[in-house]
Amino acid sequence: MTGERIVRVVTEVAAVDRAFDYLAPVDSEISLGDRIRVDFHGRSVRGWVVDVDVPDEGRDLKTIKKRAGFGPPAELFDLLRWASTHYVTPLSRALAAASSERNVTSLPAPPNKPSLEAGEEFAPGVWTFGPTRDPLPLVLSAYRTTEHQLGTLLVLVPTEGWAERLTSRLVSRGLPAVSLANGWSAARAGWPIVVGTRSACFAPTPRVAGAVVLDADDEAFVSESSPTWEATRIVVERCRRDDAPVWLTSPLPSPSLLAVSTPHHRDSDLQGGWPTVDVVDLRHSDPRDGALSQESLRHIDRVLHDGESGVRVAVILQRLGAGKLLACRQCGALCRCATCHDPEHEDDGFLTCDSGHERRPAFCRDCGATRPRIIRAGVTTLARDIALQLGRPVAEVTARTTEIPESTTVVVGTEAIFRLVRRTGVVVFVDFDQYLLGQRERARRDAIYAVAKAGRLVGSRRDGAGRVVLQTRRGDDDVLSAITRVDFEAISRHEVETAQLLELPPFRAVADIGGAGGAHYAEALRDAGVEVIHMGDRWCVTAESHAALRELLARAARPSGAMRLAIR
């Protein structure tokens, strides 16, 4: 093997989670982290060089076919191995997340970091911001803090549109910023500022000088693939390894967010950063009203005649949990369990909750009326009803919608509206109880975040802009009170206490198992002596630490069928 050296390669075949040794010519340009192409079991596949100058043990090895280009830098490998271990995922998946989809064979020369004039300063840590608060001053403050440090300032945002707009705003101020979506090679070269979405936690910059994660609790930062990974957690770990400061923002920081970074700061004008919110209790409305109450119609009529163009009204129906509620025909009160307060459903003429705490006759606890009615209108039916109620055409928006016609003034749909609409006068949640009674641990937080996202469309109460209208049959809910008062202290304390009591993250490590193969894996874990909790369509394993959790999961072989493993 004179004139050749041995390198270790991880292929993109995730099903084979191990490294293999190949020959590489000594005079080749192949180095640690490079993308290469090799012959693997008779197939030509891509891979990554994860080790170089491996000792020669006299083996008969294949030769690398060719170098395909740059991969993640060597400085990133320790983080990628940590992520692979922490989230129980093949190393190849982490390597792929840090690599370009196209071959990159050359890198640009990064510019110098220009100085930035003094401005508003924000200390590193977790910041509670109102949803309409402009985060640009915080990003500029982070740049000033890190401009004399070696490395890149990473900025993560939930959506591609947000990343593009923020990049443009930074560039317009003379700062060398690039969007990771179309600037992988610049990030690999060590560009001063890199802006991106979830995948930017693995941005291929050799070193980070600091990082900013805007709306750090947004679910967009959690990978939906299996196994899952959390961008915010990875960014914090990356900054810890590079001894770099990190800034995290959230309208309502979760217990997990507060646990990964300190200290905690609050914006000086937190109330002014939230929208004006009106709560409409449908129990007190005229039963003959349509999908929109009279109060909602008054706000809608006002903005439809204000002379502005574009979308002026957004009506949101987000079906969460079971997507079906029972309400009294007489007084409009929801049918809820007296023990757990979850929604009740009808079972052979009786009412009961999903936990089966009580099985009772179908009557209203508030007024005694019988025969409750089902509330289950879908988006299409709602759009038709609202078009009739307003006497004008409306546009239906779902996850499949890609654009809204320019002439549209009213949109009706799911939270996909937040992705397609930038500004509007009124946002109406026609059935906010679907958030308040959602069947998952973060339902109350989802309700608050939904109002926060709507606030970005209508503007702040400080500016006296538009309104967010919440139609509900739970007008006395403490979440609604917290939203209208912009006082979430009690909600935050309750979330921490609940997480401690139920042994949820960040106080325990949790693995959620789902998918077609989830039942087989859960059964195999039980046979191996692991306690597995069945929760609806998923199974749950908990442990005191992530290391202990990985040991438990390793006791059983993975099933051959599709399975989703989410580590929290």
Side-chain angles (χ1 to χ4, degrees):
M1 292 189 293
T2 304
E4 295 179 315
R5 58 186 178 135
I6 301 176
V7 298
R8 191 149 289 162
V9 173
V10 169
T11 71
E12 62 184 4
V13 183
V16 185
D17 188 20
R18 52 165 294 196
F20 298 87
D21 292 344
Y22 285 83
L23 295 177
V26 172
D27 57 354
S28 69
E29 298 180 355
I30 293 176
S31 59
L32 189 64
D34 279 352
R35 305 280 327 246
I36 43 87
R37 187 164 286 279
V38 297
D39 179 17
F40 185 73
H41 292 298
R43 291 191 298 151
S44 177
V45 302
R46 293 191 301 176
W48 298 266
V49 176
V50 297
D51 200 358
V52 295
D53 300 324
V54 177
D56 183 4
E57 299 177 356
R59 295 164 294 173
D60 184 17
L61 301 175
K62 296 179 181 179
T63 302
I64 291 175
K65 286 189 171 185
K66 70 172 184 178
R67 177 179 181 270
F70 288 97
E75 295 87 343
L76 197 56
F77 271 45
D78 284 345
L79 177 78
L80 297 177
R81 290 190 176 96
W82 171 86
S84 171
T85 301
H86 186 84
Y87 292 105
V88 195
T89 184
L91 179 59
S92 60
R93 293 187 186 273
L95 288 164
S99 301
S100 173
E101 294 181 359
R102 295 177 293 182
N103 292 341
V104 176
T105 57
S106 63
L107 300 176
N112 296 323
K113 294 182 179 181
S115 295
L116 195 63
E117 62 183 18
E120 193 174 1
E121 296 296 330
F122 296 84
V126 178
W127 280 88
T128 300
F129 274 1
T132 67
R133 190 12 161 135
D134 184 2
L136 182 63
L138 182 142
V139 177
L140 297 179
S141 174
Y143 175 79
R144 283 192 295 270
T145 302
T146 61
E147 66 177 282
H148 299 299
Q149 304 298 320
L150 178 65
T152 297
L153 175 67
L154 288 183
V155 184
L156 273 68
V157 295
T159 65
E160 289 288 357
W162 192 346
E164 293 173 3
R165 293 190 295 271
L166 181 57
T167 302
S168 297
R169 296 181 71 186
L170 293 171
V171 171
S172 68
R173 285 164 173 75
L175 295 179
V178 65
S179 173
L180 183 62
N182 50 28
W184 188 93
S185 59
R188 177 66 173 80
W191 222 252
I193 304 176
V194 174
V195 184
T197 55
R198 179 176 62 222
S199 61
C201 67
F202 291 124
T205 177
R207 178 180 174 82
V208 295
V212 177
V213 185
L214 302 179
D215 272 13
D217 278 315
D218 197 298
E219 287 196 309
F221 289 123
V222 180
S223 168
E224 295 180 358
S225 61
S226 180
T228 63
W229 44 271
E230 299 171 303
T232 301
R233 179 70 182 87
I234 292 171
V235 166
V236 171
E237 176 65 20
R238 188 170 185 178
C239 288
R240 186 191 69 79
R241 291 168 177 264
D242 285 351
D243 193 24
V246 61
W247 292 259
L248 309 170
T249 76
S250 175
L252 174 61
S254 65
S256 295
L257 189 64
L258 294 172
V260 299
S261 182
T262 54
H264 179 207
H265 313 278
R266 287 178 177 81
D267 188 20
S268 58
D269 186 18
L270 186 59
Q271 285 210 356
W274 279 80
T276 300
V277 177
D278 289 335
V279 176
V280 178
D281 194 331
L282 297 180
R283 294 174 298 181
H284 305 148
S285 297
D286 191 328
R288 294 168 295 181
D289 287 348
L292 298 173
S293 66
Q294 292 300 315
E295 293 91 334
S296 299
L297 288 173
R298 281 195 292 271
H299 293 307
I300 290 172
D301 184 67
R302 174 179 55 83
V303 300
L304 288 178
H305 293 88
D306 63 8
E308 293 191 26
S309 60
V311 175
R312 305 301 300 134
V313 178
V315 180
I316 295 176
L317 176 68
Q318 184 74 0
R319 289 302 186 198
L320 303 174
K324 181 168 64 177
L325 298 174
L326 292 176
C328 176
R329 294 177 184 271
Q330 186 71 28
C331 70
L334 293 177
C335 300
R336 295 186 296 144
C337 174
T339 302
C340 65
H341 302 291
D342 281 349
E344 292 176 310
H345 58 84
E346 192 169 5
D347 180 18
D348 196 21
F350 289 84
L351 298 182
T352 183
C353 68
D354 288 339
S355 301
H357 289 131
E358 179 186 13
R359 182 178 171 85
R360 67 183 184 88
F363 67 89
C364 175
R365 296 184 189 275
D366 289 4
C367 70
T370 57
R371 296 175 58 241
R373 64 189 179 96
I374 299 175
I375 308 170
R376 58 178 178 186
V379 169
T380 300
T381 302
L382 180 65
R384 180 201 63 198
D385 292 347
I386 289 179
L388 292 172
Q389 201 170 3
L390 297 180
R392 64 170 62 211
V394 305
E396 182 180 337
V397 177
T398 65
R400 295 186 295 273
T401 307
T402 57
E403 61 181 357
I404 299 173
E406 291 185 6
S407 60
T408 300
T409 57
V410 181
V411 293
V412 178
T414 65
E415 284 190 359
I417 288 173
F418 296 143
R419 173 173 51 86
L420 297 173
V421 176
R422 289 288 312 282
R423 196 73 179 171
T424 189
V426 171
V427 175
V428 179
F429 291 88
V430 293
D431 190 2
F432 200 66
D433 297 330
Q434 291 291 337
Y435 288 95
L436 300 176
L437 299 175
Q439 298 296 304
R440 59 183 196 159
E441 64 197 49
R442 55 172 290 162
R444 289 149 60 93
R445 176 174 300 278
D446 286 337
I448 296 171
Y449 285 173
V451 175
K453 292 177 181 178
R456 293 197 175 105
L457 302 187
V458 304
S460 68
R461 62 177 64 185
R462 182 198 315 110
D463 299 331
R467 290 175 179 269
V468 177
V469 181
L470 312 179
Q471 296 189 168
T472 177
R473 289 177 173 81
R474 291 174 53 83
D476 54 351
D477 195 291
D478 57 350
V479 172
L480 294 173
S481 176
I483 291 172
T484 54
R485 292 183 293 107
V486 191
D487 183 2
F488 304 111
E489 288 297 320
I491 300 291
S492 184
R493 285 196 304 271
H494 183 265
E495 281 203 326
V496 173
E497 293 168 356
T498 300
Q500 288 178 315
L501 179 64
L502 301 181
E503 297 185 331
L504 298 171
F507 304 102
R508 295 276 288 186
V510 176
D512 290 323
I513 304 167
H520 299 292
Y521 186 45
E523 190 62 32
L525 287 171
R526 286 196 185 98
D527 292 342
V530 178
E531 182 181 359
V532 181
I533 304 171
H534 189 196
M535 304 177 65
D537 60 349
R538 61 189 174 95
W539 293 262
C540 185
V541 177
T542 65
E544 293 183 356
S545 66
H546 283 89
L549 181 64
R550 290 191 295 271
E551 291 180 4
L552 291 177
L553 296 176
R555 292 186 183 180
R558 301 287 181 86
S560 57
M563 185 187 76
R564 186 174 190 269
L565 181 64
I567 305 296
R568 295 187 286 151

